[in-house]
Amino acid sequence: MRITGYRTLTTVQEWGRPVGDANGVFADGVVPVSIVLVDTDEGITGVGLGPHVEIERIFPAIEGEDPRAVTSLYDRMLRHTFKAGHAGPVFGTIGALDTALWDIKAQAAGEPLWRLLGGRDRRVTAYASGLDIGLTDDELVAEYEVYASHGLRAAKLKGGLDIERDRHRLSLVREVLAEAGHGRRPGLMLDVNEAWTRKQAVRHVCELERTLDLIWIEEPVRRWDAEGLAAVSRGVSASVATGENLTGLEQYRPLIAAGAVDIVQMAAVWGVTHFLRASALAHAHDLPVSPIGNSPVGLLHAATSVPNHLTSELQDLHTPVGVSIDLHVEDGAFILGDAPGLGVRVDEERIRAVNRRPQAQTADSPNVRPERAGRRLLAGVDAVIPTRQVPVVSLNSRNEVSPTVRH
């Protein structure tokens, strides 16, 4: 079998509501989803959900090769980016191609990828994650009631701009999940997407922990700040989760060595081989792993085969336009199917017919770091707070003005 070519597509995830985080919001709820299709001379096509930035530079590393030599081809792709580096979306392109090759390998074997990788149980524990910072209270409750109806009892909220607002929103979701679980204690996490300095992080989380039990705080400071992440981990009761924006094992090493990460995360678009290697590195240090991202199907298959998987992020319950996936959600878990490979099918005609594209990226999108991130003195300054509700007064327990987070 030989790799003969590739095709790229861009579809969208239609949330039907605003989605975003502390950095900004996609007001129309339309988020781009990139797809890579890899063709072979035996008629098997592999699917990779992820970027195709500079794919014309990376694809020659695998063109004409046997796609079943996946891990060797992964290293060949890394070598093809040696001079310019493989960080950012280029790493995502390598990951998308890598995932497509795993899909081909499993299809050729006539097995679902989770079984090919050595998984025994098709059930992958999940937590709810609504990218929900732009929602009003009523919208937030309604959204997590839907997650709860699928058996999810743990949730990660977006926040980091106002202590009291975060406390209020976390409490609302806690009540929803507790009621659905007949009083059983739910799990809560908070993701602030690198919005804080070290002191801001400790202050904000410690204040929340006066009344709430957080499983983890995600990306409290910049992704590369090993000393800062370690300081936060020592200063709060919650675990520190990070890693979704790290590209390559070399970026994990200093964080793990510094005790800067308690829960090791990997992005859904970084590829199966990277997930397996990062999981092995984490396992060697007795650390759990948790994939993040919408439609993390490749990593879900891989998660069944590693001993240290903790839980995987479930964002939208619907698939991107023109994409179907052989899995479903029940009793708080992804349930993987028996279709050979990833179980992903792409309707290229539908994607091209719909031809819906997200709005152009603006300064208030989640992908643009705000100018005053980490330098907001007061809550609500440059904050992402829905205009459909009145922001809460930001006072702490001593009736002092409570900065967004911050000094």
Side-chain angles (χ1 to χ4, degrees):
M1 187 188 303
R2 298 295 168 186
I3 298 168
T4 58
Y6 70 87
R7 288 164 287 143
T8 61
L9 295 167
T10 300
T11 185
V12 292
Q13 187 82 32
E14 296 181 328
W15 286 76
R17 60 173 178 80
V19 292
D21 56 36
N23 299 297
V25 168
F26 290 116
D28 63 357
V30 179
V31 180
V33 177
S34 300
I35 302 172
V36 175
L37 304 172
V38 176
D39 296 319
T40 68
D41 61 359
E42 293 192 10
I44 300 176
T45 296
V47 181
L49 300 178
H52 33 77
V53 173
E54 296 194 36
I55 192 169
E56 68 285 347
R57 178 162 66 93
I58 299 168
F59 184 74
I62 64 173
E63 187 173 17
E65 296 287 330
D66 187 325
R68 293 168 293 187
V70 187
T71 53
S72 296
L73 295 181
Y74 178 82
D75 289 321
R76 280 177 64 88
M77 288 189 284
L78 290 180
R79 291 199 298 275
H80 270 236
T81 62
F82 167 62
K83 287 292 186 180
H86 60 241
V90 171
F91 195 66
T93 300
I94 293 172
L97 289 168
D98 172 75
T99 300
L101 298 187
W102 279 109
D103 187 20
I104 293 169
K105 184 178 178 114
Q107 288 185 61
E111 294 187 331
L113 181 57
W114 63 268
R115 185 173 287 124
L116 181 76
L117 290 172
R120 176 176 173 270
D121 187 354
R122 70 182 71 221
R123 185 179 187 276
V124 182
T125 303
Y127 68 90
S129 178
L131 311 187
D132 45 50
I133 201 167
L135 302 184
T136 66
D137 289 355
D138 289 344
E139 291 168 337
L140 183 73
V141 168
E143 192 66 28
Y144 280 90
E145 285 176 342
V146 175
Y147 289 123
S149 70
H150 287 78
L152 283 95
R153 300 293 179 262
K156 181 176 78 183
L157 274 66
K158 296 291 189 179
L161 298 173
D162 183 285
I163 292 173
E164 294 306 326
R165 183 166 185 258
D166 286 348
R167 189 198 311 278
H168 176 65
R169 298 174 79 250
L170 286 161
S171 298
L172 288 176
V173 172
R174 179 180 61 183
E175 292 174 10
V176 170
L177 299 182
E179 181 177 355
H182 304 290
R184 189 175 67 178
R185 188 175 189 175
L188 297 173
M189 299 87 98
L190 183 67
D191 184 1
V192 302
N193 297 97
E194 305 181 55
W196 297 333
T197 65
R198 303 173 190 182
K199 285 291 188 179
Q200 290 169 353
V202 173
R203 178 175 182 272
H204 197 117
V205 176
C206 284
E207 178 61 25
L208 290 177
E209 288 182 331
R210 292 179 61 254
T211 55
L212 293 166
D213 179 25
L214 293 179
I215 295 175
W216 77 58
I217 179 69
E218 187 167 324
E219 289 194 319
V221 298
R222 300 312 301 270
R223 67 195 70 169
W224 52 75
D225 186 2
E227 182 179 336
L229 289 163
V232 175
S233 183
R234 291 191 300 267
V236 303
S237 296
S239 295
V240 167
T242 192
E244 68 178 89
N245 288 304
L246 302 181
T247 53
L249 293 183
E250 70 280 0
Q251 295 189 5
Y252 285 86
R253 282 202 307 263
L255 270 63
I256 291 175
V261 54
D262 303 306
I263 296 170
V264 178
Q265 295 178 309
M266 303 84 160
V269 299
W270 287 170
V272 172
T273 299
H274 169 71
F275 172 82
L276 294 172
R277 292 180 177 182
S279 294
L281 176 63
H283 185 50
H285 292 84
D286 296 314
L287 294 172
V289 297
S290 180
I292 72 97
N294 195 47
S295 301
V297 60
L299 304 197
L300 298 180
H301 283 264
T304 67
S305 70
V306 301
N308 52 334
H309 173 260
L310 178 64
T311 184
S312 289
E313 183 174 33
L314 170 60
Q315 292 184 357
D316 201 346
L317 287 158
H318 305 285
T319 57
V321 172
V323 177
S324 63
I325 304 176
D326 184 25
L327 62 77
H328 65 280
V329 178
E330 67 177 32
D331 296 330
F334 295 97
I335 310 298
L336 298 170
D338 287 316
L342 290 174
V344 176
R345 295 294 175 263
V346 177
D347 187 338
E348 297 181 56
E349 290 186 5
R350 184 184 175 200
I351 291 174
R352 293 191 176 99
V354 172
N355 197 30
R356 181 171 184 187
R357 294 292 177 263
Q359 296 177 352
Q361 180 169 285
T362 61
D364 57 356
S365 87
N367 296 329
V368 178
R369 183 170 171 82
E371 182 180 356
R372 296 193 60 78
R375 295 188 293 116
R376 298 183 182 95
L377 180 64
L378 299 175
V381 177
D382 299 329
V384 182
I385 295 178
T387 58
R388 302 179 298 282
Q389 68 182 28
V390 178
V392 297
V393 176
S394 184
L395 298 177
N396 63 23
S397 59
R398 296 176 295 279
N399 282 336
E400 299 167 339
V401 175
S402 178
T404 312
V405 276
R406 340 278 208 233
H407 327 297

